[in-house]
Amino acid sequence: MNDKELLSRLSKLGFPMFEPSDSQDANETLAEIVKSQDTRLLEGFPVLLANAGENYQFDPEQVAQKLGSKTYKDRFHQLMLLSAALFSFYHLSFSWWNNLKKNLSQEDKYMVSARKTDLAKNHPLKINDIELDSERVKKLFELYFEQKAEREKLRQERFTELSLEYAMSQVFSQKQKELFKKKLEGYPLTKTEQEYFSRAVKKKVVALANTDLHSLAKKLLERP
């Protein structure tokens, strides 16, 4: 895998500094990160792991199979424990991770606790012969969640918009919806539009604005 392809795959897994591209194999990408000597990429491993896990793409056995040497497999294990410490540091709980952490040994749990202390005190994070920066690891993770929250907000706004559009379609025709929005946004109506609005749209609007009718409709929907 060349660098361009690797960076493209990183973007799909939530690394914010890269542009998205084609399809990918999340486990192969994680394995490539583990084998990298670039501390910037290794510090982003918890972000990539969280994203792959949430997308149901992460399989630790598949990652380990792609690593080959014991050195890389040990580094992968250490990065997993660092990720566990980071999740705990931010009080995060993922269903996919909760299943994995059941297999942690007592020694692993001790290491997670020690890593969590390192993160809290901004101590260097030594993984074999590589040293990661605690502050950068946390900043990358925080950035990932800030962007994730923004994406969720946009998704919710879009959902609300589509829901409203669907509800209006149940009451108004396309022409009536156009007049409704035009009137609501303060645009002037032609004489013909005004007459049609008064004759066909306003009656429905008055009915929709009736709080008693709205309450009765909700009660009806709550009945089995």
Side-chain angles (χ1 to χ4, degrees), residues 5-223:
E5 186 178 2
L6 174 59
L7 296 180
S8 173
R9 290 183 176 192
L10 289 176
S11 177
K12 284 291 185 67
L13 283 180
F15 222 150
M17 62 187 74
F18 304 111
E19 295 298 323
S21 185
D22 299 326
S23 60
Q24 62 181 314
D25 182 321
N27 295 307
E28 183 178 350
T29 304
L30 287 169
E32 292 294 331
I33 294 301
V34 172
K35 291 188 281 188
S36 172
Q37 294 299 314
D38 188 334
T39 55
R40 181 186 60 163
L41 299 181
L42 292 169
E43 287 164 352
F45 181 87
V47 173
L48 308 174
L49 177 63
N51 209 9
E54 286 194 88
N55 291 327
Y56 306 100
Q57 296 172 316
F58 176 57
D59 183 336
E61 292 185 3
Q62 285 195 29
V63 176
Q65 286 176 2
K66 297 174 187 300
L67 292 173
S69 76
K70 183 178 180 304
T71 299
Y72 288 141
K73 288 180 180 177
D74 182 58
R75 184 188 289 180
F76 173 49
H77 186 66
Q78 293 299 316
L79 287 169
M80 290 285 287
L81 298 182
L82 170 60
S83 300
L86 196 63
F87 300 158
S88 178
F89 179 79
Y90 286 106
H91 307 288
L92 296 173
S93 177
F94 304 111
S95 58
W96 60 272
W97 177 252
N98 291 337
N99 290 328
L100 289 174
K101 72 179 184 182
K102 293 176 184 174
N103 299 321
L104 296 182
S105 66
Q106 284 301 318
E107 185 178 354
D108 288 337
K109 292 176 182 176
Y110 173 79
M111 180 58 73
V112 169
S113 179
R115 291 295 191 199
K116 188 176 174 183
T117 300
D118 289 336
L119 288 165
K121 297 183 177 180
N122 291 328
H123 288 167
L125 302 164
K126 291 189 176 180
I127 295 181
N128 297 340
D129 58 334
I130 294 178
E131 184 173 293
L132 306 182
D133 185 290
S134 287
E135 289 189 82
R136 285 203 298 265
V137 169
K138 288 187 290 186
K139 283 180 180 176
L140 276 172
F141 203 68
E142 289 170 6
L143 179 60
Y144 162 69
F145 273 93
E146 286 173 6
Q147 293 184 341
K148 183 172 182 284
E150 184 62 26
R151 289 195 296 272
E152 290 295 332
K153 180 182 174 185
L154 292 174
R155 187 178 296 122
Q156 184 59 44
E157 289 176 352
R158 181 61 179 156
F159 175 77
T160 302
E161 182 182 331
L162 290 174
S163 296
L164 180 60
E165 188 69 24
Y166 175 77
M168 290 186 70
S169 297
Q170 305 306 303
V171 179
F172 300 110
S173 66
Q174 183 60 36
K175 179 62 179 175
Q176 291 171 349
K177 279 196 301 181
E178 290 174 8
L179 290 180
F180 181 98
K181 293 178 180 176
K182 198 172 177 181
K183 183 82 171 177
L184 185 66
E185 293 168 2
Y187 290 105
L189 304 183
T190 64
K191 183 180 179 182
T192 303
E193 288 176 335
Q194 184 61 57
E195 289 174 353
Y196 182 68
F197 181 88
S198 300
R199 186 174 68 253
V201 182
K202 190 173 181 179
K203 292 177 182 175
K204 293 181 180 179
V205 174
V206 171
L208 288 173
N210 186 299
T211 53
D212 292 334
L213 178 61
H214 182 68
S215 178
L216 288 174
K218 286 184 67 178
K219 282 183 181 178
L220 182 61
L221 290 175
E222 289 169 359
R223 291 186 177 180

